[in-house]
Amino acid sequence: QVQLVESGGGLVQAGNSLNLSCSVSGSPFIIGYMRWYRQTPGKEREMVASITGAGITAYADSVQGRCAIARDNTKATVSLQMNDLRPDDTAVYYCNAVIQPSRQDRISEFWGRGAQVTVSS
């Protein structure tokens, strides 16, 4: 069974760094796009960063230059390095991936449960 599990969230002071990691279990057949989203109460979930299977990345304007997404296809993991954190980066961060679990399955979108990141001023 495919599952995404985030780790690395926590409380940090503004200006510091944090690295989030997401591990995909279940040995899926294909992992396509992998993305990080974040959400704060009362707001829509927004995409923070994405990376294709070939390593092409994209970032939200709000984190451009401060964040770096990376993936390890051999380990089925994706990470998000966040630097120079700001209080408005406070959110629950979700790992997202487009996955074909097995050769017989169709491609579907999977989500992790989220990791809280809190940035104090």
Side-chain angles (χ1 to χ4, degrees):
Q1 183 178 359
V2 172
Q3 288 187 324
L4 277 60
V5 179
E6 301 96 341
S7 61
L11 172 65
V12 296
Q13 287 190 324
N16 285 352
S17 299
L18 195 69
N19 188 275
L20 295 176
S21 185
C22 173
S23 190
V24 182
S25 64
S27 301
F29 180 56
I30 294 175
I31 303 176
Y33 276 94
M34 301 185 85
R35 299 182 175 104
W36 287 96
Y37 284 77
R38 66 186 181 187
Q39 188 171 25
T40 55
K43 292 188 178 181
E44 289 189 4
R45 196 171 291 188
E46 65 165 343
M47 193 192 76
V48 177
S50 70
I51 186 167
T52 69
I56 298 171
T57 60
Y59 299 92
D61 289 343
S62 57
V63 302
Q64 184 73 46
R66 300 190 296 120
C67 289
I69 187 170
R71 64 189 286 168
D72 185 330
N73 291 329
T74 63
K75 297 180 180 179
T77 59
V78 62
S79 63
L80 183 68
Q81 174 68 34
M82 298 186 291
N83 302 317
D84 190 23
L85 283 161
R86 306 165 181 170
D88 59 5
D89 291 318
T90 296
V92 178
Y93 284 73
Y94 296 91
C95 179
N96 167 270
V98 173
I99 294 172
Q100 184 178 1
S102 73
R103 192 184 296 271
Q104 291 75 33
D105 292 318
R106 66 176 185 177
I107 295 173
S108 302
E109 196 171 23
F110 289 80
W111 292 88
R113 291 189 172 187
Q116 177 70 47
V117 173
T118 303
V119 184
S120 63
S121 58

